[in-house]
Amino acid sequence: MSSTKPILPQSLDEARILRLPCTAFYISEFITEGEEALILEKIASAPKPRWKQLSRRRLQTWPSDLINNKLVDARPLPPWLEEPVVTRLLSLCLDKDTASKPHIFSDSPHKRPNHVLINEYPPGIGIMPHKDGAAYHPVVATVSLGASICLNIHEMEEDGTLKRTPAWRILQEPRSLLITTANLYTDYLHGIDDTLEDIGLSENTIANWPLLRSGSTFHDGRNSRQTRTSLTYRDVLGVSKLGSKFMFNHKR
């Protein structure tokens, strides 16, 4: 396993997905294989009550679920979710002029992510097109672990119904970071097909193809699904007074 710290771009501007109409960024090697293995080990060893079992997949929320769109448990994220992901996120400047907005969470209420959703996707299992809702600041940073998967971005019809054919597709490789922001967060839906294999992958169909680790990995236009785990980092806008009181008492 590689333990060498990945070489990150000098600014997120170098990682911009140019084929998308709104601002999004992709870094193919955001964490190392060793860091990936350690995080997966921590996820697997989490206490059983941490897992929420859905009909076809399961998830964990850290530090807690949201209640009425607010974060009640305002404790810091555990160290294994902070390092190296949050530290690296906050070290990535938006562009070479770092004076106005040093990093991607500079405009969020807490200046950093305070919530992580861990989703486990077995082969053949995806998630319906959806929006993340108004509980979060419109910046989503997703780290993929274990396997590659294709994310679909959907537009809406004028009558408010979903356009079934994706407007764009983003290929997320293991150890990669995808950041979506602004209108891409608020105006479009994202989802993952229920399939055992992503097909039709090429420079013409994948928006982030020039930023992939190696397009030759998908030279036949196919990606056989394996279990993929995602870490979704966001800043919850509202933190309840109960959570703030807990934080105060915890520090005393």
Side-chain angles (χ1 to χ4, degrees), residues 245-252:
K245 183 177 180 180
F246 177 89
M247 282 284 289
F248 177 76
N249 291 334
H250 183 68
K251 289 179 179 178
R252 285 196 301 181

Side-chain angles (χ1 to χ4, degrees), residues 8 135 206 242:
L8 302 178
I206 298 299
L242 176 63

Side-chain angles (χ1 to χ4, degrees), residues 17 19-20 22-26 144 148-153 166-173 176-180 184 190-192 198 201 205-209 211-212 228:
I17 304 177
R19 288 176 57 184
L20 293 178
C22 309
T23 306
F25 309 94
Y26 183 82
S144 292
S148 298
I149 208 164
C150 195
L151 180 74
N152 299 325
I153 307 296
W168 303 277
R169 303 167 77 198
I170 300 171
L171 193 57
Q172 295 175 260
E173 302 164 286
S176 69
L177 169 70
L178 173 66
I179 300 174
T180 55
L184 197 62
H190 57 279
I192 297 170
D198 297 304
L201 309 178
T205 63
I206 298 299
N208 61 321
W209 190 268
L211 298 171
L212 293 179
R228 177 251 189 178

Side-chain angles (χ1 to χ4, degrees), residues 13 43 121 156 174 176 231:
D13 200 47
I43 293 171
Y121 293 94
M156 302 292 289
S176 69
L231 311 178

